[in-house]
């Protein structure tokens, strides 16, 4: 069994498998935070597997955050919710609407093998309903993340162990426009049934600032910059009511893509040469990060790591007939690797001293660029 | 009887060995026959065996009475061995993005549960009646294998078929709305 961190140690594990990411943080004092979920090759949430291997009780998970509803961020999260009874479940304030529940039932109650977009949220609502039936005190209502809202706090005699988790986004504007969009997704009588269409933008995902003692961690989820000045990174950076400080750790948003970049993040709210981690997205038509993305991130930080290389492709073994048909019917065809890479950071409170270990295909980002 | 129905298939070397083994017994075909029809087949074959053994040494002119049991085809029944599809690979896919020439999709392999692939399929591979179903999030099934038509002709085949989920009904709307109202009541969601 792997070693549990000591109460005075911080640990950050960023998992990525090319189609999913999960961040598990030990915030000291045996309090654990899980942000998003992906699954391993056995189909199990990597977060639960990780905690089990370390001998951590699921009851020590204090926060479970679903930053948004894309299935590369929430696959398996309903199982984590079922197991981690003491965890506060946090999701975007954009989902606090009756219409979202209607849409969840319409599209999430009956899905096939592949389209699991709302299935996880449907499962979570089912669990919450069951707790509501039994009048259980355990989490049966989400905690809604919105701009500048503290969502979890821990006070300690040792001030280095004081912890505060603050949501920086979604903004009011993002929530309002999300409510309108979700309303338009409700199917009506006579409409042809379709699977839930994957949303392209990430207008209302949850961005978190985690302060542990003197150190801050900025977790950017998949937030992309927007044309609207009241959405995206611009609104976070221009909001004078939020004390952003300078973070020494940055989970780079949206797999390092250009549309999630904002110069002011690097220049105003991060320390010089911060520790950066990103996860790849290689299960779409255009894998990210691209080589230009890598070069850009590395220009801001030499301490950058990626949870798994984008270059990991497996040759597909198949009978000759199928291979011939695939060759003539498709422009491209590649097998997805389900192996999950991990960048693990362990350090003291304040992260003044830390070390980074790379597992299962994780690698330094800047070595790739050179 | 299984042996008689399958002898022809087992010796058909145009099929891959794995497929031949898979065709040892066509259980759905046998199970679909009414029992009295099945008995009559057994009786016919017994009679033919008797004739063959009795006339085994007859001259050429009298061999026309001989019927070889291994070429007996059973007509009728609930399902026919003809017009069937033998799948070599099958996926369930979901459409990710669409452009002018093709659409990208994520595939989940039915035969190997843990395998997933990403591909770009040419739009020209989609039948006209399915073309308007190609939208992001749409689910389809892709099968590659052998198709035997009613005339017994076998050919290689690739079929992409989009899932038709019907239409939303008043009942579906009511179910979704009731779910929302009850969830709010139980959890205080809103």
């Amino acid at each position: 069994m792997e070693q549990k961190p000591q109460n005075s140690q911080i640990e950050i594990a960023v998992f990525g498998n090319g189609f999913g990411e999960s961040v598990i943080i030990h915030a000291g004092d045996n309090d654990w935070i899980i942000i998003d979920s992906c699954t391993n090759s056995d189909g199990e949430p990597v977060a639960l597997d990780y905690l089990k291997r370390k001998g951590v009780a699921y009851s020590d998970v204090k926060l479970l955050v679903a930053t948004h509803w894309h299935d590369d961020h929430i696959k398996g999260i309903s199982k984590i919710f079922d197991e981690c009874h003491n965890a506060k479940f946090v999701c975007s304030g954009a989902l606090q609407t009756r219409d979202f529940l209607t849409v969840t039932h319409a599209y999430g109650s009956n899905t096939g093998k592949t389209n699991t977009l709302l299935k996880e949220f449907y499962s979570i609502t089912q669990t919450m309903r069951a707790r509501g039936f039994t009048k259980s005190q355990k989490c049966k209502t989400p905690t809604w993340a919105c701009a500048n809202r503290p969502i979890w706090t821990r006070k300690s005699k040792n001030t280095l162990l004081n912890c505060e988790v603050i949501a920086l986004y979604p903004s009011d504007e993002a929530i309002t426009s999300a409510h309108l969009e979700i309303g338009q997704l409700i199917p009506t009588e006579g409409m042809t049934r379709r699977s839930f269409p994957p949303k392209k933008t990430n207008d209302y995902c949850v961005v978190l600032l985690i302060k542990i003692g003197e150190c801050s961690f900025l977790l950017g989820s998949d937030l992309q910059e927007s044309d609207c000045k009241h959405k995206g990174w611009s609104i976070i950076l221009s909001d004078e009511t939020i004390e952003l400080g300078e973070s020494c750790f940055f989970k780079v948003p949206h797999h390092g893509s250009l549309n999630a970049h904002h110069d002011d993040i690097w220049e105003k709210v991060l320390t010089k040469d911060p520790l950066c981690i990103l996860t790849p997205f290689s299960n779409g038509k255009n894998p990210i990060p691209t080589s230009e993305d890598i070069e850009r991130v590395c220009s801001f930080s030499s301490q950058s790591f990626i949870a798994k290389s984008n270059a990991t492709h497996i040759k597909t073994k198949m009978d000759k007939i199928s291979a011939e048909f695939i060759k003539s019917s498709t422009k491209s065809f590649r097998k997805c690797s389900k192996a999950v890479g991990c960048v693990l950071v362990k350090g003291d409170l304040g992260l003044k001293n830390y070390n980074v270990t790379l597992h299962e295909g994780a690698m330094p980002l800047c070595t790739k660029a050179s | 009887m299984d042996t008689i129905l399958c002898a022809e298939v087992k010796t058909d070397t145009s099929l891959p060995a794995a497929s031949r083994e898979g065709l040892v017994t066509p259980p759905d075909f046998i199970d679909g026959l009414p029992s009295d029809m099945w008995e009559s087949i057994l009786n016919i074959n017994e009679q033919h065996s008797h004739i063959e053994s009795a006339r085994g040494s007859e001259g050429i002119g009298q061999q026309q009475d001989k019927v070889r049991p291994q070429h007996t085809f059973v007509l009728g029944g609930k399902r026919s061995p003809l017009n069937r599809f033998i799948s070599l690979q099958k996926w369930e896919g979901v459409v990710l993005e669409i452009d002018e020439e093709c659409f990208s999709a994520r595939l989940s392999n039915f035969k190997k549960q843990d395998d997933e692939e990403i591909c770009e399929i040419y739009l020209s591979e989609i039948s006209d009646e399915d073309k308007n179903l190609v939208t992001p999030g749409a689910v389809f099934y892709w099968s590659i294998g052998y198709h035997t038509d009613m005339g017994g002709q076998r050919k290689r085949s690739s079929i992409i078929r989009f899932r038709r989920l019907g239409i939303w009904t008043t009942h579906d709307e009511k179910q979704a709305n009731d779910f929302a109202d009850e969830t709010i009541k139980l959890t205080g969601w809103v």
Side-chain angles (χ1 to χ4, degrees):
Chain A
M1 187 177 288
E2 295 171 24
Q3 226 176 356
K4 264 169 84 166
Q6 292 173 18
N7 284 351
S8 59
Q9 280 184 320
I10 288 177
E11 194 172 286
I12 306 167
V14 179
F15 288 89
N17 60 3
F19 187 71
E21 69 178 48
S22 184
V23 180
I24 301 132
I25 298 176
H26 176 247
D29 228 15
N30 208 27
D31 288 331
W32 291 82
I33 300 168
I34 299 174
I35 299 148
D36 290 335
S37 173
C38 62
T39 52
N40 59 21
S41 52
D42 295 327
E44 293 299 306
V46 296
L48 293 183
D49 181 51
Y50 180 74
L51 294 175
K52 194 174 173 182
R53 282 189 281 118
K54 283 192 170 293
V56 175
Y58 294 154
S59 55
D60 291 333
V61 177
K62 298 300 189 297
L63 263 187
L64 173 61
V65 184
T67 61
H68 58 301
W69 62 1
H70 284 172
D71 54 355
D72 62 325
H73 284 253
I74 59 169
K75 199 166 184 188
I77 204 166
S78 58
K79 189 162 184 185
I80 302 175
F81 182 70
D82 283 345
E83 298 285 353
C84 300
H85 296 150
N86 289 340
K88 222 185 213 185
F89 179 70
V90 181
C91 60
S92 172
L95 308 184
Q96 190 188 8
T97 170
R98 182 184 180 280
D99 287 347
F100 176 72
L101 292 171
T102 310
V103 167
T104 297
H105 183 274
Y107 291 104
S109 57
N110 186 17
T111 57
K113 282 160 64 69
T114 44
N115 195 354
T116 58
L117 204 62
L118 281 174
K119 189 178 170 187
E120 295 287 347
F121 267 101
Y122 181 71
S123 295
I124 287 174
T125 53
Q126 292 286 65
T127 305
M128 286 180 171
R129 281 159 56 99
R131 291 174 184 174
F133 271 120
T134 61
K135 309 290 181 201
S136 166
Q137 293 304 306
K138 292 175 182 170
C139 173
K140 61 183 184 203
T141 305
T143 297
W144 304 108
C146 59
N148 207 15
R149 183 184 180 188
I151 54 175
W152 188 73
T153 308
R154 179 185 67 210
K155 293 280 186 216
S156 174
K157 286 179 187 170
N158 179 356
T159 54
L160 288 176
L161 273 174
N162 283 347
C163 181
E164 200 179 5
V165 180
I166 305 162
L168 301 180
Y169 196 87
S171 63
D172 291 336
E173 176 94 7
I175 290 174
T176 304
S177 65
H179 287 176
L180 290 170
E181 265 180 50
I182 290 169
Q184 286 163 5
L185 293 169
I186 299 175
T188 52
E189 187 200 348
M191 269 177 65
T192 304
R193 279 180 180 268
R194 292 191 194 280
S195 299
F196 189 71
K199 196 176 178 327
K200 281 193 175 181
T201 60
N202 297 289
D203 279 352
Y204 33 90
C205 58
V206 179
V207 173
L208 295 174
L209 182 67
I210 300 178
K211 295 181 181 179
I212 306 175
E214 296 164 355
C215 192
S216 294
F217 308 86
L218 181 60
L219 291 102
S221 178
D222 266 5
L223 183 61
Q224 293 163 257
E225 191 48 357
S226 169
D227 291 336
C228 172
K229 64 177 180 179
H230 298 294
K231 291 186 194 177
W233 284 102
S234 295
I235 185 70
I236 294 176
L237 294 162
S238 62
D239 189 344
E240 289 171 353
T241 63
I242 302 176
E243 280 183 36
L244 291 170
E246 285 189 341
S247 294
C248 58
F249 173 90
F250 185 35
K251 206 292 290 181
V252 181
H254 201 240
H255 318 287
S257 69
L258 179 61
N259 56 16
H261 172 77
H262 196 301
D263 280 340
D264 284 356
I265 300 173
W266 299 92
E267 288 166 14
K268 294 184 180 172
V269 300
L270 294 173
T271 57
K272 200 172 164 59
D273 210 28
L275 176 56
C276 298
I277 302 179
L278 62 89
T279 61
F281 185 78
S282 51
N283 281 20
K285 193 174 146 187
N286 301 307
I288 40 176
T290 61
S291 51
E292 290 82 13
D293 296 330
I294 292 169
E295 206 178 311
R296 186 179 59 254
V297 171
C298 288
S299 70
F300 290 104
S301 171
S302 60
Q303 296 190 88
S304 298
F305 300 90
I306 187 166
K308 188 177 145 181
S309 169
N310 247 343
T312 310
H313 294 314
I314 305 167
K315 234 178 171 178
T316 307
K317 289 179 187 170
M318 207 165 283
D319 61 274
K320 198 178 167 191
I321 309 296
S322 301
E324 281 173 12
F325 269 116
I326 287 166
K327 195 174 173 186
S328 60
S329 307
T330 63
K331 195 174 176 183
S332 65
F333 188 94
R334 55 188 163 88
K335 193 171 175 177
C336 307
S337 165
K338 288 203 165 184
V340 187
C342 174
V343 180
L344 180 58
V345 180
K346 289 184 182 183
D348 56 13
L349 294 173
L351 269 192
K352 295 264 186 314
N353 300 300
Y354 63 86
N355 67 65
V356 177
T357 52
L358 306 172
H359 305 265
E360 303 289 337
M363 54 195 291
L365 190 68
C366 301
T367 305
K368 269 172 75 82
S370 58
Chain B
M1 184 42 86
D2 292 354
T3 313
I4 292 168
L5 286 173
C6 299
E8 186 187 358
V9 170
K10 277 201 153 184
T11 55
D12 186 346
T13 54
S14 70
L15 286 175
S19 298
R20 275 184 273 143
E21 287 306 312
L23 293 175
V24 169
T25 306
D28 56 340
F29 168 64
I30 291 175
D31 290 345
L33 284 179
S35 56
D36 51 351
M37 187 182 286
W38 192 237
E39 281 173 10
S40 71
I41 294 166
L42 289 171
N43 289 337
I44 289 169
N45 281 308
E46 277 178 27
Q47 287 165 24
H48 289 162
S49 298
H50 174 72
I51 292 168
E52 193 162 354
S53 61
R55 295 191 179 198
S57 55
E58 290 292 335
I60 294 171
Q62 284 159 323
Q63 281 179 4
Q64 62 192 332
D65 292 327
K66 216 168 167 180
V67 176
R68 294 182 210 166
Q70 62 265 36
H71 289 294
T72 301
F73 284 106
V74 179
L75 301 177
K78 284 188 182 172
R79 290 180 219 178
S80 167
L82 305 176
N83 196 26
R84 62 186 297 176
F85 186 86
I86 299 159
S87 169
L88 296 175
Q89 294 289 340
K90 186 175 179 182
W91 297 271
E92 179 180 292
V94 63
V95 176
L96 299 173
E97 288 175 319
I98 305 163
D99 61 32
E100 284 174 12
E101 191 184 28
C102 48
F103 66 93
S104 60
R106 190 167 80 249
L107 303 176
S108 177
N109 197 309
F110 271 89
K111 289 189 185 292
K112 297 174 192 174
Q113 295 290 324
D114 292 334
D115 279 7
E116 283 194 350
E117 285 99 358
I118 296 285
C119 62
E120 291 174 274
I121 300 174
Y122 292 113
L123 284 167
S124 54
E125 295 293 310
I126 310 303
S127 63
D128 288 340
E129 61 178 354
D130 274 9
K131 280 221 165 70
N132 66 334
L133 297 174
V134 184
T135 55
V139 175
F140 62 94
Y141 301 102
W142 186 9
S143 296
I144 293 175
Y146 289 94
H147 177 242
T148 306
D149 66 21
M150 289 301 295
Q153 284 288 322
R154 182 184 295 114
K155 55 185 177 182
R156 299 171 185 182
S157 185
S158 166
I159 304 170
I160 296 176
R161 191 85 181 139
F162 274 75
R163 193 170 160 192
R164 281 151 173 79
L165 301 171
I167 57 168
W168 287 100
T169 62
T170 316
H171 175 68
D172 295 324
E173 266 191 277
K174 184 176 185 309
Q175 271 197 316
N177 283 320
D178 288 347
F179 172 84
D181 290 333
E182 195 175 62
T183 304
I184 290 168
K185 196 175 161 186
L186 287 167
T187 67
W189 190 277
V190 181

